[in-house]
C-alpha cells in the first residue's frame, strides 16, 4: 500500500522523472543472540537489499544509523559492509547516505569517508563543526540536483549541551531537546540556502538517529535511552517544516512519529531479539515526483526464524513438536512456568530436538528458580543486562536508599559516556 504525502502537489505530475529513495536503519551488523553469531543472516539480508535496490530501481539509499552493533566490528562484519557498498555500484543506485548511530564508532565510520565519497557514498559519523557539512546535494546522472539530504547523525550529549554544575535531570533533558532542535534548525537552514542557490525546488529529506516521544519498543530489542535521565525524547515538531520527509533510526519497531507520514522509523530489518520475532520487518520506499512524495513499505523476508515457547512441560513439548514439523530451521527460547519442578528441563528439550535443525538458544526454568534457589538469586546473565542495569543491581545489592539512586545512576551514565568519548578521541589520533 502506498501512502501519499502531497506537501506540494503542484510540483508533481506529467513530465517529472520520479526519484526512488530507500530508507533503512538499525542493521546492527555483528550482533549476536545469546552467544549465537548471525553473520549468515546479515549476509542474506544485505544480498536481498542489493536485489531489492536493483528490482525497485532505487536511486538513493538512506541508512539512518546503527550500521554496526559495536564500535569494534569484526573483520567478517567489515567485509560484509564493504562488499555490500561495492555491490551497490552494480545497480541504478547513484548515492548512499549513511549516518552514525549510538552503537557506531564515529571514527570507524568516518575513517574511509574521503575514499567512499569518490564512489558517492556519503558518510557522516558524528556532528560536524559546520552544520553545512551535514548537508548533501545529490545529483542525477546528468549532474542536475535531484535531492538535498540533511544527514544529521546521532547527537551525543557533549555535541549539543554544555554541562553546568548543579543541574537537575529535568534541566539536562530540556537543554538536550533544545540542543537537538537547534541543530536541526541550523542544518535545515543551510539546506534551504543551498536549494535557493541552486534555483531548483528539489525535495529536502532529513535523517536522524534518536528516541522520539511515545516511541514503541520491545522488551529485548536492545534499544536504550540515549541520554542521562531518559527525558530527551523529541517530538515531530523538532524537525523543521522544510523537511519533506525525515528518515529515522534507533527504534526497531517500524512506526510513524506525530501521527503523520512525514517522520518515520523504518525499524530494524531483522529481529534483534525474541521480542521482535513476530514483527513484520520492512524498509521504506519513497517515490519523489518533484516535492510530491509517497511512501511504500517493502516487506523484508525472514532469514532466520525465532520463536518463544512458554508454559508447562506439555505446552512446551507440543510447541517443539510443532516446530519440528516445519521444513525450516528455528531458534528457540524456552520459558518453563509450570507448577511441577523439573530438574532435567534442558536434557528433555535436547532429547526432543536431537538430529533436527532446531536450536535452543535460551532456557529459563522459572519454577526451579523460585522453589530451589533463594529469592536473591536470579537467572539473569551479564549478556542480558546493559551497563546501567548492572549498576542498578549493585545499588540494590548494597541497599542504597531509593532517594539517592537517581543521582548516582545519572553520575554513572555520565562517566560511561565520558569514557566512551575518550576512547573514540584516542581512536582518531
Amino acid at each position: 500500500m502506498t501512502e501519499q504525502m502531497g506537501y506540494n502537489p503542484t510540483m508533481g505530475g506529467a513530465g517529472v522523472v520520479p526519484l526512488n529513495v530507500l530508507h533503512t536503519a538499525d542493521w546492527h551488523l555483528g550482533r549476536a543472540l545469546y552467544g549465537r553469531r548471525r553473520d549468515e543472516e546479515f549476509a542474506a539480508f544485505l544480498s536481498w537489499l542489493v536485489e531489492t535496490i536493483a528490482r525497485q530501481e532505487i536511486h538513493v539509499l538512506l541508512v539512518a544509523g546503527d550500521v554496526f552493533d559495536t564500535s569494534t566490528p569484526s573483520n567478517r562484519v567489515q567485509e560484509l559492509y564493504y562488499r555490500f557498498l561495492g555491490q551497490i555500484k552494480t545497480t541504478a543506485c547513484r548515492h548512499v547516505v549513511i549516518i552514525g548511530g549510538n552503537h557506531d564508532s564515529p571514527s570507524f565510520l568516518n575513517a574511509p569517508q574521503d575514499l567512499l565519497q569518490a564512489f558517492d557514498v556519503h558518510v557522516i559519523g558524528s556532528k560536524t563543526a559546520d552544520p553545512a557539512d551535514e548537508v548533501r546535494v545529490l545529483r542525477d546522472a546528468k549532474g542536475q540536483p535531484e535531492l538535498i539530504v540533511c544527514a544529521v547523525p546521532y547527537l551525543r550529549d557533549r555535541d549539543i549541551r554544555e554541562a553546568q554544575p548543579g543541574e537537575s535531570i529535568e534541566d539536562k533533558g530540556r537543554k538536550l531537546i533544545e540542543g537537538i532542535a537547534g541543530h536541526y534548525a541550523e542544518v535545515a537552514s543551510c539546506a534551504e540556502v543551498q536549494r535557493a542557490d541552486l534555483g531548483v525546488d528539489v525535495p529536502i529529506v532529513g535523517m536522524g538517529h534518536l528516541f522520539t516521544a511515545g516511541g514503541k519498543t520491545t522488551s529485548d530489542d536492545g534499544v536504550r535511552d540515549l541520554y542521562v535521565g531518559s527525558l530527551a525524547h523529541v517530538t515531530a515538531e523538532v524537525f523543521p517544516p522544510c523537511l519533506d520527509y525525515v528518515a529515522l533510526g534507533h527504534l526497531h519497531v517500524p512506526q510513524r512519529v506525530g501521527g503523520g507520514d512525514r517522520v518515520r522509523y523504518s525499524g530494524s530489518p531483522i529481529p534483534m531479539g525474541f521480542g521482535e520475532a513476530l514483527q513484520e520487518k520492512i524498509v521504506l520506499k519513497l517515490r519523489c515526483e518533484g516535492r510530491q512524495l509517497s511512501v511504500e513499505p517493502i516487506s523484508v523476508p525472514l532469514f532466520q526464524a525465532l520463536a518463544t515457547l512458554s508454559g508447562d512441560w506439555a505446552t512446551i513439548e507440543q510447541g517443539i513438536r510443532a516446530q519440528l514439523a516445519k521444513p525450516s530451521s528455528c531458534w528457540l527460547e524456552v520459558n518453563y512456568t509450570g507448577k511441577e519442578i523439573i530438574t532435567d528441563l534442558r536434557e528433555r528439550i535436547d532429547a526432543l530436538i536431537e538430529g533436527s535443525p532446531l536450536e535452543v538458544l535460551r532456557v529459563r526454568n522459572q519454577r526451579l528458580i523460585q522453589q530451589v534457589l533463594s529469592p536473591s538469586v536470579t537467572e539473569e546473565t551479564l549478556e542480558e543486562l546493559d551497563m546501567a542495569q548492572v549498576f542498578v543491581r549493585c545499588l540494590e545489592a548494597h541497599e542504597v536508599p531509593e532517594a539517592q539512586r537517581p543521582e548516582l545512576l545519572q553520575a554513572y551514565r555520565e562517566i560511561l559516556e565520558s569514557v566512551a568519548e575518550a576512547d573514540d578521541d584516542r581512536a582518531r589520533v
Side-chain angles (χ1 to χ4, degrees), residues 19 59-60 89 92-97 117 120 122 136-149 194-195 197-200 202:
L19 172 70
H59 305 116
V60 177
K89 302 309 293 182
C93 186
R94 294 189 280 267
H95 298 274
V96 179
V97 185
Q117 183 70 45
D120 295 315
H122 314 267
R136 293 291 188 272
V137 176
L138 307 186
R139 299 177 181 272
D140 63 19
K142 298 179 180 179
Q144 298 301 309
E146 59 182 351
L147 183 69
I148 297 176
V149 179
Q194 292 196 39
R195 180 166 63 184
D197 290 344
L198 292 169
V200 181
V202 296

Side-chain angles (χ1 to χ4, degrees), residues 5 7-13 15-19 146-147 195 200-205 244 287-294:
M5 295 188 296
Y7 302 124
N8 192 342
T10 62
M11 295 302 298
V16 177
V17 178
L19 172 70
E146 59 182 351
L147 183 69
R195 180 166 63 184
V200 181
D201 196 25
V202 296
I204 299 178
V205 168
D244 297 305
R287 181 181 172 90
C288 310
E289 297 183 81
R291 290 185 61 192
Q292 183 176 1
L293 277 64
S294 60

Side-chain angles (χ1 to χ4, degrees), residues 78 86 105 182 192-193 198 242 247 256 308 316 340 348 350 355 406:
Q78 293 181 50
S105 163
E192 287 190 290
V193 169
L198 292 169
C242 69
R256 298 170 176 84
T308 298
I316 289 171
E340 177 189 2
R348 291 189 189 188
D350 288 342

Side-chain angles (χ1 to χ4, degrees), residues 207-251:
M207 297 178 70
H209 192 90
L210 42 77
F211 205 137
T212 54
K216 293 180 288 186
T217 63
T218 58
S219 59
D220 64 346
D221 57 11
V223 172
R224 56 180 180 264
D225 289 308
L226 297 174
Y227 303 107
V228 173
S230 308
L231 297 177
H233 294 181
V234 305
T235 63
E237 287 69 31
V238 160
F239 307 108
C242 69
L243 301 180
D244 297 305
Y245 179 82
V246 183
L248 294 182
H250 185 55
L251 300 186

Side-chain angles (χ1 to χ4, degrees), residues 321-369:
R321 295 193 183 282
Q323 291 292 338
L324 288 170
K326 297 179 180 179
S328 59
S329 66
C330 184
W331 293 351
L332 297 179
E333 175 187 55
V334 177
N335 184 23
Y336 174 75
T337 60
K339 294 182 179 180
E340 177 189 2
I341 297 177
I342 299 179
T343 59
D344 62 342
L345 179 61
R346 184 78 200 208
E347 288 77 8
R348 291 189 189 188
I349 293 170
D350 288 342
L352 276 176
I353 67 173
E354 185 177 4
S356 78
L358 293 184
E359 288 188 55
V360 177
L361 302 193
R362 187 189 191 204
V363 175
R364 301 186 71 182
N365 193 335
Q366 300 283 18
R367 185 62 173 169
L368 185 61
I369 292 297

Side-chain angles (χ1 to χ4, degrees), residues 79-295:
E79 179 186 354
L80 291 175
Y81 173 63
Y82 289 114
R83 179 184 296 170
F84 167 79
L85 294 179
Q87 291 173 331
I88 285 293
K89 302 309 293 182
T90 66
T91 71
C93 186
R94 294 189 280 267
H95 298 274
V96 179
V97 185
I98 299 171
I99 62 170
N102 61 296
H103 279 254
D104 296 311
S105 163
S107 57
F108 179 84
L109 280 184
N110 286 339
Q113 196 174 49
D114 293 341
L115 176 62
L116 292 177
Q117 183 70 45
F119 298 96
D120 295 315
V121 177
H122 314 267
V123 179
I124 299 89
S126 58
K127 178 181 177 292
T128 59
D130 184 351
D133 291 337
E134 293 172 27
V135 178
R136 293 291 188 272
V137 176
L138 307 186
R139 299 177 181 272
D140 63 19
K142 298 179 180 179
Q144 298 301 309
E146 59 182 351
L147 183 69
I148 297 176
V149 179
C150 294
V152 179
Y154 163 56
L155 300 172
R156 287 166 170 76
D157 188 312
R158 69 172 183 178
D159 294 333
I160 51 178
R161 182 184 68 86
E162 184 176 344
Q164 298 292 335
E167 284 181 311
S168 67
I169 293 177
E170 290 74 15
D171 288 338
K172 292 183 178 183
R174 175 179 52 79
K175 288 184 178 180
L176 282 166
I177 293 174
E178 290 173 354
I180 293 169
H183 186 73
Y184 270 97
E186 290 179 342
V187 175
S189 177
C190 292
E192 287 190 290
V193 169
Q194 292 196 39
R195 180 166 63 184
D197 290 344
L198 292 169
V200 181
D201 196 25
V202 296
I204 299 178
V205 168
M207 297 178 70
H209 192 90
L210 42 77
F211 205 137
T212 54
K216 293 180 288 186
T217 63
T218 58
S219 59
D220 64 346
D221 57 11
V223 172
R224 56 180 180 264
D225 289 308
L226 297 174
Y227 303 107
V228 173
S230 308
L231 297 177
H233 294 181
V234 305
T235 63
E237 287 69 31
V238 160
F239 307 108
C242 69
L243 301 180
D244 297 305
Y245 179 82
V246 183
L248 294 182
H250 185 55
L251 300 186
H252 295 175
V253 180
Q255 56 197 284
R256 298 170 176 84
V257 178
D261 290 323
R262 186 177 74 103
V263 185
R264 301 281 295 259
Y265 286 96
S266 64
S268 57
I270 68 173
M272 293 298 160
F274 286 97
E276 296 182 37
L278 299 180
Q279 284 180 21
E280 180 187 14
K281 295 300 185 180
I282 64 171
V283 294
L284 293 169
K285 178 182 177 181
L286 281 69
R287 181 181 172 90
C288 310
E289 297 183 81
R291 290 185 61 192
Q292 183 176 1
L293 277 64
S294 60
V295 182

